[in-house]
Amino acid sequence: MKRVDKLGLRRRLALEIWRSLEGDNAKSHPLRQLFWECTLRCNLNCRHCGSDCKNVATQKDMPLEDFLGVLDNIAAHTDPHKVFVIVTGGEPLMRRDLEQCGRAIYDRGFPWGMVTNGLALTRARFDALLAAGLHSATVSLDGLEEDHNYMRGNPNSFRTASDAIAMMAAEKDFVFDVVTCVTQRNIDKLDTIKEHLLSLGCTHWRLFTVFPVGRGATDSKLQLTSQQMRQLMEYIAATRKEGRISAQYGCEGFLGAYEGEVRDRFFACQAGVTVGSVLVDGAISACASIRADYHQGNIYTDDFWQVWNTRFEQYRNREWMKKDGCADCKFFRYCKGGAMHLRDGEGKLLLCHIEKLAHGE
């Protein structure tokens, strides 16, 4: 396997160009994706859940009208067709009014999609969501039946997720991908997962690893070893060369010599740069995966567009992250301290991908 901390001249030049472009992007910060955490209720009890969602949540679902007020605010300042709304949770399908929500979002000119586990996605529900303007979806599948059901805590989860994937694949021009959480349990079974996805008609596969937040923080078996992490990178690179399915690693961190080989783009955390979110309690944040309190305001007390344009300094200028292990890191100019969701409330980095990959080399 390659030396992760060794970058060739061509890769460095490409990264320098990317760094310059992303610097301009941070300055202009065009809002391109808006997550709506519409509920914290979930019909599964996943072992790696970062937000510890439950069937009955302590926080009520956000009323549709409250979120629509945010969209009207955004539409008054920018083209809504350029802002993709991603409905997430919890599990969005727990909302009985999801179709009504989707239609109202679509009627305001915003394209929208959702992140789902597929457990409640019947044919009738899918048709209703398509009629409400659903553009895309992301479905989770973490292995074949035994492994997926183990991770999700439900004996029907594998079947329903597979059915959801097959339904989406059969829908002409519908855009979707499948995400797989790679753990010690399934790292050696990725080929069987790939073949299953191909048999269902899936063309886009995103693989990610558990970051130490929520339930996943306490289960060491969910975390890959350094050797397994390198194994995953090699697998994704080989799968991309094979060309049967479009595979890529998630957007979590800078990967050194694997940059440009396991994703469609170089690493750059878009949280607070092109990605914003409205959480279920009204908090204005960035990527919905960020569980530490880096909120910038609240829709019930602040103007969303004003917050988007005048705050988010912690996200757009990452120099404050140049401390601890990042202080003297030669890759900081490209990494900028890693993904925001990997920082705790005190700003400490919870996981460094370069350190993980390079350990033991």
Side-chain angles (χ1 to χ4, degrees):
M1 294 186 184
K2 66 182 66 187
R3 282 291 302 271
V4 177
D5 60 348
K6 298 292 184 182
L7 301 181
L9 179 60
R10 181 178 296 180
R11 200 182 308 268
R12 283 188 179 276
L13 290 174
L15 285 167
E16 286 295 334
I17 295 171
W18 178 255
R19 175 176 172 268
S20 177
L21 292 172
E22 283 304 307
D24 293 340
N25 205 32
K27 291 176 182 177
S28 60
H29 51 265
L31 181 64
R32 291 292 176 257
Q33 289 185 327
L34 179 66
F35 284 91
W36 178 30
E37 189 181 64
C38 68
T39 182
L40 285 183
R41 293 180 293 139
C42 188
N43 47 13
L44 291 179
N45 187 39
C46 303
R47 291 178 177 271
H48 61 301
C49 181
S51 50
D52 199 24
C53 296
K54 298 177 175 64
N55 196 287
V56 178
T58 55
Q59 176 73 45
K60 292 182 179 179
D61 296 355
M62 177 178 285
L64 171 59
E65 294 74 17
D66 297 353
F67 182 66
L68 294 181
V70 175
L71 295 186
D72 291 340
N73 175 252
I74 294 171
H77 298 280
T78 193
D79 183 356
H81 296 90
K82 295 181 178 180
V83 182
F84 195 90
V85 175
I86 303 170
V87 183
T88 184
E91 168 54 48
L93 291 170
M94 294 290 284
R95 287 189 66 129
R96 294 183 178 180
D97 66 343
L98 184 59
E99 292 85 349
Q100 179 187 347
C101 295
R103 171 49 62 180
I105 293 169
Y106 186 73
D107 286 346
R108 280 166 168 75
F110 292 85
W112 74 281
M114 68 174 180
V115 179
T116 180
N117 58 43
L119 187 67
L121 191 64
T122 61
R123 180 73 246 184
R125 196 89 197 266
F126 186 45
D127 287 341
L129 290 167
L130 290 172
L134 180 69
H135 275 64
S136 71
T138 292
V139 185
S140 300
L141 191 93
D142 298 321
L144 297 189
E145 189 164 15
E146 181 181 355
D147 290 334
H148 180 80
N149 291 345
Y150 168 83
M151 283 288 286
R152 300 286 164 171
N154 186 297
N156 299 312
S157 183
F158 173 78
R159 175 182 56 81
T160 54
S162 296
D163 288 347
I165 294 166
M167 272 194 294
M168 292 177 186
E171 189 66 32
K172 185 179 179 181
D173 299 326
F174 187 75
V175 178
F176 76 98
D177 69 349
V178 172
V179 293
T180 295
C181 178
V182 183
T183 68
Q184 292 189 31
R185 187 181 177 100
N186 65 8
I187 180 68
D188 294 321
K189 304 174 185 178
L190 295 180
D191 261 340
T192 61
I193 300 172
K194 179 183 70 176
E195 294 303 325
H196 179 64
L197 292 177
L198 286 167
S199 75
L200 297 175
C202 175
T203 58
H204 289 77
W205 186 24
R206 190 155 33 105
L207 301 96
F208 71 100
T209 48
V210 176
F211 55 98
V213 173
R215 296 176 198 153
T218 59
D219 190 342
S220 61
K221 292 183 179 179
L222 296 181
Q223 313 289 333
L224 297 183
T225 66
S226 292
Q227 181 180 355
Q228 289 170 331
M229 192 73 172
R230 292 192 293 272
Q231 177 185 341
L232 174 60
M233 296 302 117
E234 293 288 339
Y235 179 82
I236 296 174
T239 300
R240 289 169 66 85
K241 288 180 180 179
E242 182 186 48
R244 297 173 64 211
I245 191 170
S246 176
Q248 60 180 317
Y249 185 62
C251 59
E252 293 184 307
F254 181 74
L255 304 171
Y258 287 111
E259 285 293 324
E261 295 187 7
V262 297
R263 283 190 287 235
D264 293 340
R265 50 182 285 165
F266 290 129
F267 170 74
C269 180
Q270 295 298 314
V273 177
T274 63
V275 177
S277 70
V278 175
L279 304 185
V280 72
D281 62 355
I284 300 171
S285 187
C287 171
S289 294
I290 300 170
R291 304 322 304 180
D293 185 0
Y294 288 99
H295 308 331
Q296 303 297 300
N298 193 290
I299 65 168
Y300 296 112
T301 56
D302 300 295
D303 178 284
F304 179 90
W305 193 252
Q306 184 179 38
V307 169
W308 178 255
N309 279 294
T310 62
R311 303 185 193 177
F312 285 92
E313 180 67 13
Q314 288 172 300
Y315 294 86
R316 296 166 188 166
N317 182 352
R318 307 288 181 101
E319 289 301 312
W320 65 270
M321 293 184 177
K322 200 169 185 179
K323 59 183 181 179
D324 303 325
C326 296
D328 300 314
C329 180
K330 63 183 179 180
F331 297 122
F332 185 84
R333 64 189 293 104
Y334 308 129
C335 178
K336 294 298 182 183
M340 197 72 169
H341 71 270
L342 296 179
R343 296 274 168 175
D344 67 13
E346 283 70 50
K348 181 181 178 182
L349 184 62
L350 300 173
L351 173 66
C352 172
H353 281 68
I354 285 289
E355 186 177 77
K356 182 86 170 181
L357 286 164
H359 183 74
E361 284 191 337

